[in-house]
Structures are given as C-alpha cells and as structure tokens.
Amino acid sequence: RGGAPGCAGRRRVRHPVSPPRLFVVAGGTRTTASTRHRLWNYRPFLEADGVEMDWIEYGGGRESSALRAALLRIRFLKDLVVRGGGADVILVQKVLPPAALVRRWRAGGARVVYDFDDALYHQALWGETETQAARRRARFDAMLELADVVVAGSPPLAEYARTRAGRVEVLYPSLQRGRFEGTTRPPRDPGAVTVGWVGNDQSQIYLKALEPVLAQAFDRHPSARLTVCSSRAPDLAPSVAGRMTFVPWSESAELEAAASFDLAISPLGPEPWSRARGGRVSVLLSMASGVAVVASPGGGIDELVGDSEAVLFADDPDTWARQLDRLPASAGERERVGAAARGVV
C-alpha cells in the first residue's frame, strides 16, 4: 500500500478495497431446514457488511425421474464451473463437487469452506445401498481433506471430520431472535394436552416407531392429542391417527404449531445417521417457544443443554413411556421444563 510508514519522501497511497466475493453452494432451497437455519439466516448480515454474494441451490436430490435428476446434476455442475471462478470464499453445504473442481477453485485463490449437518459417512436410512454409501463416503472424505475450513453441525460430526480435515468448527443452527422476542404463549386449556411433532417426511419413520408408546399414552390421557407439522400427513395406526391434527408445513405454520404445543417430542433411531446428525431445528423451535421437549439424545442437543433439565431425554421405550405419562399429567412440570428450555436457547 505505498511506502513503508515513516519513510521520507514517499507518499502513502490508499487503494480502494474491493468487497469480498462469496459464492454459496447451498444444499437445498429455503424450505430445507439446514439451508434455512445454517445459511439463509446469515444473508442479511453478510450483505450489510458489503459482501458480494452469488448463490446457487441444489434441487435435484429427490427427483422421482432418474433422467430429470441426472439432467439437473449436469446443469448444476456446469453452474459450479462457470460461477465459482473469481470468488474469494466458496461455501459449500452438503453437496459434494468433484475433487478436481475443488482443487481448481483453490488454485484460483479461493478459500473453500465446507458445511454439513448429516452423517454423510454413514449409510442413509431411506433407500441407499451399501455401495452407494461407500461411494459417497469416499467423495465426502476427499471434500474434508480439500476444504480450508469444515463447519460441522454437531460434536459427533466434528469428531469424524477431524480425522480428515485440518480445521473444524461446530456451528449449531441459528434462530432469528426477533421472531421469538416479546412473544407469549397463548392461554392453555387445562383440560387438554397437545403433544407436537415437527419434521420432514423422511423423519416420519422415527415418529412411526414411537406409535406403541403414543397409543399407550393416549389411552392413559384421554384429553391428549397429537399435532403433526410436516410436508405430508404421516401414515399412523388408527389408535394414534384418530387423535392427530395434521398441519401442512410452511415457515409460518411451523412457528405457529410449535407455539401451540404443550409438549414436543423428537424421537430418533439408534443408528449413527440419526444420533450424529446436526440441527434438530424442531427441538430448538419448541425450546425457543417455551415448550417442554422430550427427545432422543443426539445431534448436539445433549451438549447444548449440558446438565440442565431444559430437555428431557428418552433413549428406550420404557423411558419414553414414563415421560409421556408424567408430563401430560403435570402442567407445572411442563412449564418448568419449557422455561428452562427457552432460557438455554
């Protein structure tokens, strides 16, 4: 920037500093929880800081047509090649570009940040073969090794990433504080208890697995009902479905549903894909709304709440049954846990 300070006879020149250029490769659209709460929430702050942002979203992960999915992947890859050049930082969320392309980005001077909140090193629960999982793990490991910084959604995910990456940070999903400040829970009907669940259609397998416990709880508490907020109504047994209210998912419906719960549940399976996953946005939304939550351990929620009773954990059917018998019967206990949960968030 011109001559050294104090060097006589030289005039110090100030060159204009160009705004930083950020290329975001999002793993999904705004309707995807991880994209919404790990990327979208930060956009206005980055833009206010003068960051020049280019944004691309991958939308071909769940296409019913194999041909259409392949065409979308080809178009997506072409966009990555064309639009990634010239960026100072390239933030990739969950998708796995070819290693050769990542090396090209780095050779061009870009720093690469990789963000993930799923156990991409394990076999997924929905229709993935062991061979497909092994191929993805190899690409995932290569991405971890190439990235300048890896951002993991939970401590278990970070533990794996540190076996491959040089710098790893843990970042939980963020909630927009303004959407919860100054809000009060609507008056509760002391004669009824709403048990709530929020999740995508893939995660409904965990709700389905909890059916026997829910059926028993509803038998013991005739006034209890189940509210499900999801992209489609779950296929549940009549003993549970007969007590269910379905709320089609939207951003506003999700918030309204969480605020209406007396008790929120978040079951998971025992496999690593479930327990290591980051996020668990539905748990955080319920906590921020002052709702008592019963949840399977995992996803960093354990570390987040520490030794407090901000979340009550259940890891087997007997514990789930005890919690779902005790909490519907005690409004005071639900309020105590809900207040602790809101305080943590």
Side-chain angles (χ1 to χ4, degrees), residues 28-334:
T29 66
R30 181 163 178 162
T31 61
T32 307
S34 56
T35 300
R36 188 168 66 257
H37 292 280
R38 298 183 68 80
L39 301 183
W40 268 97
N41 278 357
Y42 298 101
R43 284 190 69 160
F45 301 101
L46 291 166
E47 290 168 347
D49 282 345
V51 174
E52 285 187 358
M53 193 180 313
D54 188 13
W55 187 285
I56 184 173
E57 297 171 348
Y58 180 61
R62 299 179 67 180
E63 290 292 328
S64 56
S65 164
L67 176 60
R68 176 170 169 75
L71 291 174
L72 285 172
R73 282 195 294 270
I74 292 171
R75 183 187 306 169
F76 182 72
L77 182 58
K78 180 180 177 181
D79 283 342
L80 294 186
V81 172
V82 172
R83 295 165 61 177
D88 297 304
V89 175
I90 298 177
L91 169 59
V92 182
Q93 184 193 50
K94 290 207 283 193
V95 297
L96 297 168
L101 178 57
V102 180
R103 293 190 188 98
R104 176 177 170 179
W105 286 338
R106 295 191 63 184
R111 287 172 59 79
V112 177
V113 180
Y114 187 69
D115 177 85
F116 75 109
D117 64 352
D118 282 323
L120 300 177
Y121 47 91
H122 273 283
Q123 184 177 354
L125 302 179
W126 22 85
E128 185 178 54
T129 67
E130 291 183 7
T131 301
Q132 290 171 324
R135 288 178 187 153
R136 188 188 61 238
R137 177 172 179 165
R139 294 166 55 211
F140 177 64
D141 287 349
M143 186 73 214
L144 295 179
E145 292 168 0
L146 287 169
D148 293 282
V149 182
V150 173
V151 182
S154 73
L157 296 178
E159 182 178 354
Y160 180 87
R162 290 189 179 105
T163 66
R164 302 291 192 280
R167 179 180 171 188
V168 180
E169 308 286 349
V170 176
L171 184 67
Y172 294 104
S174 64
L175 302 181
Q176 293 175 328
R177 183 188 298 271
R179 304 184 80 170
F180 297 92
E181 281 186 332
T183 60
T184 56
R185 284 172 51 73
R188 320 309 296 168
D189 180 356
V193 175
T194 298
V195 179
W197 182 88
V198 177
N200 61 29
D201 55 347
Q202 291 177 330
S203 297
Q204 289 180 12
I205 60 172
Y206 308 124
L207 180 64
K208 180 80 174 173
L210 200 62
E211 268 184 340
V213 173
L214 287 171
Q216 293 172 13
F218 290 154
D219 282 343
R220 293 191 298 269
H221 302 280
S223 65
R225 294 193 58 83
L226 174 68
T227 294
V228 170
C229 181
S230 187
S231 57
R232 61 171 174 82
D235 180 19
L236 300 175
S239 58
V240 178
R243 306 279 281 274
M244 182 185 75
T245 299
F246 172 64
V247 178
W249 184 90
S250 69
E251 282 191 68
S252 58
E254 178 181 63
L255 289 173
E256 292 171 6
S260 74
F261 298 160
D262 295 293
L263 169 64
I265 57 174
S266 180
L268 291 177
E271 68 289 330
W273 183 273
S274 297
R275 294 304 173 91
R277 67 189 301 183
R280 305 194 71 177
V281 171
S282 64
V283 174
L284 297 178
L285 288 173
S286 297
M287 293 174 70
S289 300
V291 176
V293 180
V294 181
S296 300
I301 295 297
D302 327 40
E303 289 85 355
L304 187 65
V305 303
D307 294 330
S308 72
E309 283 197 318
V311 172
L312 302 178
F313 292 105
D315 205 16
D316 58 73
D318 289 341
T319 308
W320 273 103
R322 286 197 299 272
Q323 298 290 21
L324 293 183
D325 186 34
R326 180 171 68 96
L327 288 170
S330 176
E333 181 71 356
R334 295 195 303 271

